[in-house]
Amino acid sequence: MQLVVARIGRAHGIKGEVTVEVRTDEPELRLAPGAVLATEPAATGPLTIETGRVHSGRLLLRFAGVSDRTGAEALRNTLLIAEVDPAELPEEEDEYYDHQLMDLDIVTRDGTEVGRITEISHLPSQDLFIVERPDGSEVMIPFVESIVVEIDLEEQRAVIDPPPGLIDDRAEIVSSKETDSEEEA
C-alpha cells in the first residue's frame, strides 16, 4: 500500500536541497537518508533521500542525483510516496493511517448517523474529515480530540461530540451591535 509522506516545496540554497511539507507522523522512519520513495507525478521518481536536516523548523532533504538549485526547483510540488505494509499500524495508540479512517461511519454520542468519511484533508493546523451525509451533502469535521471522541476500527465508526452548529443549524450568533443597542434602550 502506498502512503503520501511529504510534498516537496521550494529549493533551499544552491546545492540541491528542498524544503518538504511533512505528511507523516513518522518522518524519522519514512524520510530517513537511504529511503527510496515513489513520486507523483511518477516520471519524477523514484527518489532516494541522500541527506536530511532541520533548518529553522523546516525539514530539508537532498536527493541522490540532484546537486543544484535548478534540479531541486524542478521537484517542486512533487508528492513523496512510501510503500507500507497494509498490516502495519502506527506506533502510537491514538494514531491512524488515512486508509484506516476512510469510509468509517460517523455517528454522534447518541447514535445519530452523520455520514461516512470520504476524504481526509491535511491542513497545517489540523486534519479534517470530509464527510458525505446521507442526503449527499458534505460536512467538514475537525479531527481533534474534543470533537472526535472515539475511533472504533472493529465497528468501522467514529463517534463525535460536535459543538452546536458544526453539523446542524443550532449555532447561535450574537452580534455585539444587537447587544449594545439593547443596553441603550
Side-chain angles (χ1 to χ4, degrees), residues 21-32:
E21 174 189 314
V22 177
R23 294 188 180 177
T24 177
D25 290 336
E26 304 167 318
E28 64 286 344
L29 174 66
R30 308 281 181 218
L31 301 171

Side-chain angles (χ1 to χ4, degrees), residues 25 89-97 100-101 127 129 143-145 148-151 153:
D25 290 336
L89 299 175
E91 292 177 5
E92 298 294 322
E93 182 180 320
D94 60 346
E95 290 181 0
Y96 303 93
Y97 290 133
Q100 294 175 291
L101 301 172
D127 294 338
F129 290 156
F143 186 21
V144 295
E145 193 175 336
V148 181
V149 295
E150 178 186 352
I151 299 285
L153 296 178

Side-chain angles (χ1 to χ4, degrees), residues 94-162:
D94 60 346
E95 290 181 0
Y96 303 93
Y97 290 133
D98 286 5
H99 73 275
Q100 294 175 291
L101 301 172
M102 290 298 292
D103 294 323
L104 289 184
D105 292 323
I106 300 286
V107 297
T108 60
R109 281 185 191 256
D110 65 7
T112 304
E113 180 185 2
V114 176
R116 180 180 54 84
I117 299 173
T118 57
E119 184 180 339
I120 300 168
S121 182
H122 300 280
L123 304 175
S125 59
Q126 67 195 15
D127 294 338
L128 286 177
F129 290 156
I130 310 302
V131 177
E132 184 177 322
R133 304 194 69 167
D135 66 5
S137 64
E138 286 186 339
V139 64
M140 292 184 274
I141 298 176
F143 186 21
V144 295
E145 193 175 336
S146 61
I147 296 174
V148 181
V149 295
E150 178 186 352
I151 299 285
D152 187 340
L153 296 178
E154 284 186 24
E155 294 292 323
Q156 285 292 290
R157 69 182 187 140
V159 179
I160 64 169
D161 185 15

